[in-house]
């Protein structure tokens, strides 16, 4: 039976610059959606939804705790809708050059409620690391470091834009670290 956990996550300094959420999604197979995030270079606080079978949810929460993240379960309930299906992974070439892009991603309105970062990371061979973030009631802005094969980084950017997110390169060194 599928369940949904609503979590409050606190990332200490040593985990802020790691792609922990991306790694958690891949290792557990759980669907995640970032409801809100406030991230600085010293600390991160996330309000997150996890959706999956009970074993997947437990594996995801265990992964987070092992990574040093404080996990507080705010609610747990059965998930009555059909589980989102992980999209087919785009193929990549082993010899393809890798790319790193620092980006501002802005989610406005209802797009904030879609698990776009989960779907992007499932569809493309990329990792994302949220370096700064601020969320409000209708707008979320994230500074991320996106890495992977060049065609996958470009595909992930096109995917986000195609689903209504605004994506702009970061010109300053705000993400260094």
């Amino acid at each position: 039976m599928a369940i949904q956990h609503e979590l409050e996550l606190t990332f200490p300094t040593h985990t802020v610059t790691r792609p922990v959420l991306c790694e958690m999604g891949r290792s557990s197979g759980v669907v995640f959606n970032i409801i809100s995030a406030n991230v600085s270079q010293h600390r991160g606080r996330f309000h997150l939804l996890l959706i999956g079978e009970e074993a997947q949810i437990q594996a995801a929460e265990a992964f987070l705790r092992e990574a040093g993240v404080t996990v507080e379960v705010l609610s747990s309930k059965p998930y009555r809708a059909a589980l989102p299906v992980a999209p087919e992974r785009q193929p990549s070439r082993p010899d393809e050059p890798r790319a790193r892009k620092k980006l501002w991603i802005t989610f406005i309105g209802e797009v904030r409620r879609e698990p776009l970062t989960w779907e992007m990371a499932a569809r493309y061979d990329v990792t994302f690391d949220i370096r700064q973030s601020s969320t409000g009631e209708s707008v979320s802005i994230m500074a991320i470091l996106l890495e992977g094969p060049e065609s996958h980084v470009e595909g992930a950017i096109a995917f986000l834009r195609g689903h209504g997110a605004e994506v702009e390169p970061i010109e300053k060194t705000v993400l260094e670290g």
Side-chain angles (χ1 to χ4, degrees), residues 101-160:
K101 294 214 174 180
K102 300 170 190 173
L103 305 165
W104 286 114
I105 302 176
T106 305
F107 301 97
I108 300 173
E110 289 303 309
V111 115
R112 290 180 59 246
R113 303 197 189 317
E114 298 176 29
L116 293 180
T117 49
W118 164 78
E119 188 174 348
M120 173 196 71
R123 184 178 303 272
Y124 298 97
D125 184 17
V126 296
T127 58
F128 66 90
D129 185 11
I130 301 170
R131 296 296 182 94
Q132 288 184 345
S133 179
S134 181
T135 57
E137 200 55 37
S138 60
V139 177
S140 295
I141 301 171
M142 293 190 302
I144 70 166
L145 179 60
L146 188 63
E147 292 187 73
E150 197 167 36
S151 66
H152 283 244
V153 169
E154 294 305 321
I157 292 169
F159 168 81
L160 290 169

Side-chain angles (χ1 to χ4, degrees), residues 17-32:
T17 59
R18 285 188 41 218
V20 174
L21 291 180
C22 191
E23 293 168 355
M24 180 239 7
R26 287 207 177 113
S27 71
S28 67
V30 71
V31 176
F32 64 90

